[in-house]
Amino acid sequence: MYSSRQTLALGSFFGLIIIGVISLMLLLWLWPKYTVYRKELNGQAALKEAEWSKQILIEEAKAREQASLMQAKAKVTLAKAEGEALLERAKAEGAADIERAKAAAEANRIIGESLKNNESYLRYIWIKGLQDGKGERIYIPTEAGLPLLEAGALK
């Protein structure tokens, strides 16, 4: 009937068919598990990506907050420095005003001292002022303390 060679070929053929059927069954059994496993890995990757995105947003928010705080501190420091500068300027201007007032008081004292008991110089300045006048009226007090009014009208 069949030679041993044909039997071996037929056995190999059936063996290949059995191996193919077993492989197909194994593939059909493993494919859903592999699909679930692949989706699980994709889900884990997506979760990790979401966590990293969240962490990045948190760090960016912290950086913005720190930048805002630093800007606010810089504005406060600048305002303090400007206030201190204005205060120092006001103190310096006040000290300069005091020194000017002292100098003016000293000049007035010196002028006042020089005019004491110097009737002739004062009279000279008065006459000089009368000569330089341009039709101004001068009121001279009298004995009763009342000034002579319109003395020039007698002309």
Side-chain angles (χ1 to χ4, degrees), residues 66-126:
Q66 286 178 348
S68 295
L69 286 174
M70 290 172 70
Q71 285 179 342
K73 286 180 182 179
K75 286 180 182 178
V76 167
T77 304
L78 182 61
K80 283 182 182 178
E82 288 174 351
E84 290 173 2
L86 288 175
L87 181 62
E88 289 301 318
R89 181 178 173 192
K91 285 180 181 178
E93 288 175 355
D97 287 344
I98 289 171
E99 290 302 315
R100 281 191 288 273
K102 286 180 181 177
E106 182 65 17
N108 288 339
R109 186 190 64 76
I110 291 170
I111 290 171
E113 289 288 324
S114 69
L115 294 178
K116 283 184 184 174
N117 300 323
N118 202 348
E119 296 292 325
S120 59
Y121 180 69
L122 290 175
R123 197 170 302 119
Y124 168 76
I125 291 175
W126 183 63

Coordinates of all heavy atoms in Angstrom, one line a residue, residues 66-126:
Q66 N 6.7 82.7 41.7 CA 7.9 83.2 42.2 C 8.3 84.5 41.4 O 8.8 85.5 42.1 CB 9.0 82.2 42.1 CG 8.9 81.1 43.1 CD 10.0 80.0 42.9 OE1 10.7 80.0 41.9 NE2 10.1 79.1 43.8
A67 N 8.1 84.5 40.1 CA 8.4 85.7 39.3 C 7.6 86.9 39.8 O 8.1 88.0 39.9 CB 8.3 85.5 37.9
S68 N 6.3 86.6 40.1 CA 5.4 87.7 40.5 C 5.8 88.2 41.9 O 5.9 89.4 42.1 CB 4.0 87.2 40.6 OG 3.5 86.9 39.3
L69 N 6.2 87.3 42.8 CA 6.7 87.7 44.1 C 8.0 88.5 44.0 O 8.1 89.5 44.7 CB 6.9 86.5 45.0 CG 5.7 85.8 45.5 CD1 6.1 84.5 46.2 CD2 4.9 86.7 46.4
M70 N 8.9 88.1 43.1 CA 10.1 88.8 43.0 C 9.8 90.2 42.4 O 10.5 91.2 42.8 CB 11.1 88.1 42.1 CG 11.6 86.8 42.8 SD 12.6 85.8 41.6 CE 14.0 86.8 41.4
Q71 N 8.9 90.3 41.5 CA 8.6 91.6 40.9 C 7.9 92.5 42.0 O 8.2 93.7 42.1 CB 7.6 91.5 39.7 CG 8.3 91.0 38.5 CD 7.3 90.8 37.3 OE1 6.1 90.8 37.5 NE2 7.8 90.7 36.1
A72 N 7.1 91.9 42.8 CA 6.4 92.7 43.8 C 7.5 93.2 44.9 O 7.4 94.4 45.3 CB 5.3 91.9 44.5
K73 N 8.4 92.3 45.2 CA 9.4 92.7 46.2 C 10.3 93.8 45.6 O 10.7 94.7 46.3 CB 10.3 91.5 46.6 CG 9.6 90.5 47.5 CD 10.5 89.3 47.9 CE 9.8 88.4 48.8 NZ 10.6 87.2 49.1
A74 N 10.6 93.7 44.3 CA 11.4 94.7 43.6 C 10.7 96.0 43.6 O 11.3 97.1 43.8 CB 11.8 94.3 42.2
K75 N 9.4 96.0 43.4 CA 8.6 97.3 43.4 C 8.6 97.9 44.8 O 8.8 99.1 44.9 CB 7.2 97.0 42.9 CG 7.1 96.8 41.4 CD 5.7 96.6 41.0 CE 5.6 96.3 39.5 NZ 4.2 96.0 39.1
V76 N 8.5 97.0 45.8 CA 8.5 97.6 47.2 C 9.8 98.1 47.5 O 9.9 99.2 48.1 CB 8.1 96.4 48.2 CG1 8.4 96.8 49.6 CG2 6.6 96.1 48.0
T77 N 10.9 97.4 47.1 CA 12.2 97.9 47.4 C 12.5 99.2 46.7 O 13.1 100.2 47.2 CB 13.3 96.9 47.0 OG1 13.0 95.6 47.6 CG2 14.7 97.3 47.3
L78 N 12.1 99.3 45.4 CA 12.2 100.5 44.7 C 11.4 101.7 45.3 O 11.9 102.8 45.4 CB 11.8 100.3 43.2 CG 11.9 101.5 42.3 CD1 13.4 101.9 42.1 CD2 11.3 101.2 40.9
A79 N 10.2 101.4 45.7 CA 9.4 102.4 46.4 C 10.1 102.9 47.7 O 10.1 104.1 48.0 CB 8.0 101.9 46.6
K80 N 10.6 102.0 48.4 CA 11.3 102.4 49.7 C 12.5 103.2 49.4 O 12.8 104.2 50.0 CB 11.8 101.1 50.4 CG 10.7 100.4 51.2 CD 11.2 99.2 52.0 CE 10.2 98.5 52.7 NZ 10.7 97.3 53.4
A81 N 13.3 102.8 48.3 CA 14.5 103.6 48.0 C 14.1 105.0 47.5 O 14.7 106.0 47.9 CB 15.3 102.9 46.9
E82 N 13.0 105.1 46.7 CA 12.6 106.4 46.3 C 12.1 107.2 47.4 O 12.4 108.4 47.5 CB 11.4 106.2 45.2 CG 11.9 105.7 43.9 CD 10.8 105.5 42.9 OE1 9.6 105.5 43.3 OE2 11.1 105.2 41.7
G83 N 11.4 106.6 48.4 CA 10.9 107.3 49.6 C 12.1 107.8 50.4 O 12.1 109.0 50.9
E84 N 13.1 107.0 50.6 CA 14.3 107.4 51.3 C 15.0 108.5 50.6 O 15.5 109.4 51.3 CB 15.2 106.2 51.6 CG 14.6 105.2 52.6 CD 15.4 103.9 52.7 OE1 16.5 103.8 52.0 OE2 15.0 103.0 53.4
A85 N 15.1 108.4 49.3 CA 15.8 109.5 48.5 C 15.0 110.8 48.7 O 15.7 111.8 48.9 CB 15.9 109.1 47.1
L86 N 13.7 110.7 48.6 CA 12.9 112.0 48.8 C 13.1 112.5 50.2 O 13.2 113.8 50.4 CB 11.4 111.7 48.5 CG 11.0 111.5 47.0 CD1 9.6 111.1 46.9 CD2 11.3 112.7 46.2
L87 N 13.1 111.7 51.2 CA 13.3 112.1 52.6 C 14.7 112.8 52.7 O 14.8 113.9 53.3 CB 13.2 110.9 53.5 CG 13.3 111.2 55.0 CD1 12.2 112.2 55.4 CD2 13.3 109.9 55.8
E88 N 15.7 112.1 52.2 CA 17.1 112.7 52.3 C 17.1 114.1 51.5 O 17.8 115.0 52.0 CB 18.1 111.7 51.7 CG 18.4 110.5 52.6 CD 18.9 110.9 54.0 OE1 19.7 111.8 54.1 OE2 18.4 110.3 54.9
R89 N 16.5 114.1 50.4 CA 16.4 115.4 49.6 C 15.8 116.5 50.4 O 16.2 117.6 50.5 CB 15.7 115.1 48.3 CG 15.7 116.3 47.4 CD 15.0 116.0 46.1 NE 14.8 117.2 45.3 CZ 14.1 117.3 44.2 NH1 13.5 116.2 43.8 NH2 14.0 118.4 43.6
A90 N 14.6 116.1 51.0 CA 13.9 117.1 51.8 C 14.7 117.6 53.0 O 14.8 118.8 53.4 CB 12.6 116.5 52.3
K91 N 15.5 116.6 53.7 CA 16.3 117.0 54.8 C 17.4 117.9 54.3 O 17.7 118.9 55.0 CB 17.0 115.7 55.4 CG 16.0 114.9 56.2 CD 16.7 113.7 56.8 CE 15.8 112.9 57.7 NZ 16.5 111.6 58.2
A92 N 18.0 117.6 53.1 CA 19.1 118.5 52.6 C 18.6 119.8 52.2 O 19.2 120.9 52.5 CB 19.7 117.8 51.4
E93 N 17.4 119.9 51.6 CA 16.8 121.2 51.3 C 16.4 122.0 52.5 O 16.6 123.2 52.6 CB 15.5 121.0 50.4 CG 15.9 120.5 49.0 CD 14.6 120.2 48.2 OE1 13.5 120.3 48.7 OE2 14.8 119.9 47.0
G94 N 15.9 121.3 53.6 CA 15.6 122.0 54.8 C 16.9 122.5 55.5 O 16.9 123.7 56.0
A95 N 18.0 121.7 55.5 CA 19.2 122.2 56.0 C 19.8 123.4 55.2 O 20.3 124.4 55.8 CB 20.3 121.1 56.0
A96 N 19.6 123.4 53.9 CA 20.0 124.5 53.1 C 19.2 125.7 53.4 O 19.8 126.8 53.5 CB 19.9 124.1 51.6
D97 N 17.9 125.6 53.6 CA 17.0 126.7 54.0 C 17.4 127.3 55.3 O 17.5 128.5 55.5 CB 15.6 126.3 54.0 CG 15.0 126.0 52.6 OD1 15.6 126.5 51.6 OD2 13.9 125.4 52.5
I98 N 17.8 126.4 56.2 CA 18.2 126.9 57.6 C 19.5 127.7 57.4 O 19.6 128.8 58.0 CB 18.4 125.7 58.5 CG1 17.0 125.1 58.9 CG2 19.1 126.1 59.8 CD1 17.0 123.8 59.7
E99 N 20.4 127.2 56.6 CA 21.7 127.9 56.5 C 21.5 129.2 55.8 O 22.1 130.2 56.1 CB 22.7 127.0 55.7 CG 23.2 125.8 56.5 CD 23.9 126.2 57.8 OE1 24.7 127.2 57.8 OE2 23.6 125.6 58.8
R100 N 20.6 129.3 54.8 CA 20.3 130.6 54.1 C 19.7 131.5 55.1 O 20.0 132.7 55.1 CB 19.3 130.3 52.9 CG 20.1 129.8 51.7 CD 19.2 129.9 50.5 NE 18.1 128.9 50.5 CZ 18.2 127.6 50.0 NH1 19.4 127.2 49.5 NH2 17.2 126.8 50.1
A101 N 18.8 131.0 55.9 CA 18.1 131.9 56.9 C 19.1 132.4 57.9 O 19.1 133.6 58.3 CB 17.0 131.1 57.7
K102 N 20.1 131.6 58.4 CA 21.1 132.0 59.3 C 22.0 133.1 58.6 O 22.3 134.1 59.3 CB 22.0 130.8 59.7 CG 21.3 129.9 60.7 CD 22.3 128.7 61.0 CE 21.7 127.7 62.0 NZ 22.6 126.6 62.3
A103 N 22.3 132.9 57.3 CA 23.1 133.9 56.6 C 22.4 135.2 56.5 O 23.0 136.3 56.7 CB 23.5 133.3 55.3
A104 N 21.1 135.1 56.2 CA 20.3 136.3 56.1 C 20.2 137.0 57.4 O 20.3 138.3 57.5 CB 18.9 136.0 55.5
A105 N 20.0 136.3 58.5 CA 19.9 136.9 59.8 C 21.2 137.6 60.2 O 21.2 138.7 60.8 CB 19.5 135.8 60.8
E106 N 22.3 136.9 59.9 CA 23.6 137.5 60.2 C 23.8 138.7 59.4 O 24.4 139.7 59.9 CB 24.7 136.4 59.9 CG 26.1 136.9 60.2 CD 26.4 137.2 61.7 OE1 25.6 136.7 62.5 OE2 27.3 137.9 62.0
A107 N 23.4 138.7 58.1 CA 23.6 139.9 57.2 C 22.7 141.0 57.8 O 23.2 142.2 57.9 CB 23.2 139.6 55.8
N108 N 21.5 140.8 58.2 CA 20.6 141.8 58.8 C 21.2 142.3 60.1 O 21.1 143.5 60.4 CB 19.2 141.2 59.0 CG 18.5 141.0 57.8 OD1 18.8 141.6 56.7 ND2 17.5 140.2 57.8
R109 N 21.8 141.4 60.9 CA 22.4 141.9 62.1 C 23.6 142.8 61.9 O 23.7 143.9 62.5 CB 22.9 140.7 63.0 CG 23.4 141.1 64.3 CD 24.1 139.9 65.0 NE 25.3 139.5 64.4 CZ 26.5 140.1 64.4 NH1 26.6 141.2 65.0 NH2 27.5 139.6 63.7
I110 N 24.4 142.5 60.9 CA 25.6 143.3 60.5 C 25.1 144.6 60.0 O 25.6 145.7 60.4 CB 26.5 142.5 59.5 CG1 27.1 141.3 60.2 CG2 27.5 143.5 58.9 CD1 27.8 140.4 59.2
I111 N 24.1 144.6 59.1 CA 23.6 145.9 58.6 C 23.0 146.7 59.7 O 23.2 148.0 59.8 CB 22.5 145.6 57.5 CG1 23.2 145.0 56.2 CG2 21.8 146.9 57.1 CD1 22.3 144.5 55.2
G112 N 22.2 146.1 60.6 CA 21.6 146.8 61.7 C 22.7 147.4 62.6 O 22.6 148.6 63.0
E113 N 23.7 146.7 62.9 CA 24.8 147.2 63.7 C 25.5 148.4 63.1 O 25.9 149.3 63.7 CB 25.8 146.1 64.0 CG 25.4 145.0 64.9 CD 25.3 145.5 66.4 OE1 26.1 146.2 66.8 OE2 24.3 145.0 67.0
S114 N 25.7 148.3 61.8 CA 26.4 149.3 61.1 C 25.6 150.6 61.0 O 26.1 151.7 60.8 CB 26.8 148.9 59.7 OG 25.7 148.7 58.8
L115 N 24.2 150.5 61.0 CA 23.4 151.7 60.9 C 23.1 152.4 62.2 O 22.7 153.5 62.3 CB 22.1 151.3 60.2 CG 22.2 150.9 58.8 CD1 20.8 150.5 58.2 CD2 22.8 152.0 57.9
K116 N 23.4 151.7 63.3 CA 23.2 152.3 64.7 C 24.2 153.5 64.8 O 25.4 153.4 64.4 CB 23.5 151.3 65.8 CG 22.4 150.3 66.0 CD 22.6 149.4 67.1 CE 21.5 148.4 67.3 NZ 21.8 147.4 68.3
N117 N 23.7 154.6 65.4 CA 24.5 155.8 65.6 C 25.2 156.3 64.3 O 26.3 156.7 64.4 CB 25.6 155.5 66.7 CG 24.9 155.1 68.0 OD1 23.9 155.6 68.4 ND2 25.5 154.2 68.7
N118 N 24.5 156.1 63.2 CA 25.0 156.6 61.9 C 24.0 157.4 61.2 O 23.5 157.1 60.1 CB 25.4 155.4 61.1 CG 26.5 155.7 60.1 OD1 26.7 156.9 59.8 ND2 27.0 154.7 59.4
E119 N 23.5 158.5 61.9 CA 22.4 159.3 61.4 C 22.8 160.0 60.1 O 21.9 160.1 59.2 CB 22.1 160.4 62.5 CG 21.5 159.8 63.8 CD 20.2 159.2 63.6 OE1 19.4 159.7 62.8 OE2 19.9 158.2 64.3
S120 N 24.0 160.4 59.9 CA 24.3 161.1 58.7 C 24.2 160.2 57.5 O 23.7 160.6 56.4 CB 25.7 161.7 58.8 OG 26.7 160.7 59.0
Y121 N 24.6 158.9 57.6 CA 24.5 158.0 56.5 C 23.0 157.7 56.1 O 22.6 157.7 55.0 CB 25.2 156.7 56.8 CG 25.2 155.7 55.6 CD1 25.8 156.0 54.4 CD2 24.4 154.6 55.7 CE1 25.7 155.1 53.4 CE2 24.3 153.7 54.7 CZ 25.0 153.9 53.5 OH 24.9 153.0 52.5
L122 N 22.2 157.5 57.2 CA 20.8 157.3 57.0 C 20.1 158.5 56.3 O 19.3 158.3 55.4 CB 20.1 157.0 58.3 CG 20.4 155.6 58.9 CD1 19.8 155.5 60.2 CD2 20.0 154.5 58.0
R123 N 20.5 159.7 56.7 CA 19.9 160.9 56.1 C 20.4 161.0 54.6 O 19.6 161.3 53.7 CB 20.4 162.1 56.9 CG 19.6 163.4 56.6 CD 19.9 164.6 57.5 NE 19.7 164.2 58.9 CZ 20.6 164.3 59.8 NH1 21.8 164.6 59.6 NH2 20.3 163.9 61.1
Y124 N 21.6 160.6 54.4 CA 22.1 160.6 53.0 C 21.3 159.7 52.1 O 20.9 160.0 51.0 CB 23.6 160.3 53.0 CG 24.1 160.0 51.6 CD1 24.4 161.0 50.7 CD2 24.4 158.6 51.2 CE1 24.9 160.7 49.4 CE2 24.8 158.4 49.9 CZ 25.1 159.4 49.1 OH 25.6 159.1 47.8
I125 N 21.1 158.5 52.6 CA 20.3 157.5 51.9 C 18.9 158.0 51.6 O 18.3 157.8 50.5 CB 20.3 156.1 52.6 CG1 21.6 155.5 52.5 CG2 19.3 155.2 52.0 CD1 21.8 154.2 53.3
W126 N 18.3 158.7 52.6 CA 16.9 159.2 52.5 C 16.9 160.3 51.4 O 16.0 160.3 50.6 CB 16.5 159.7 53.9 CG 15.1 160.2 53.9 CD1 14.0 159.6 53.6 CD2 14.7 161.6 54.1 NE1 12.9 160.4 53.7 CE2 13.3 161.6 54.0 CE3 15.4 162.8 54.4 CZ2 12.6 162.8 54.2 CZ3 14.6 163.9 54.7 CH2 13.3 163.9 54.5

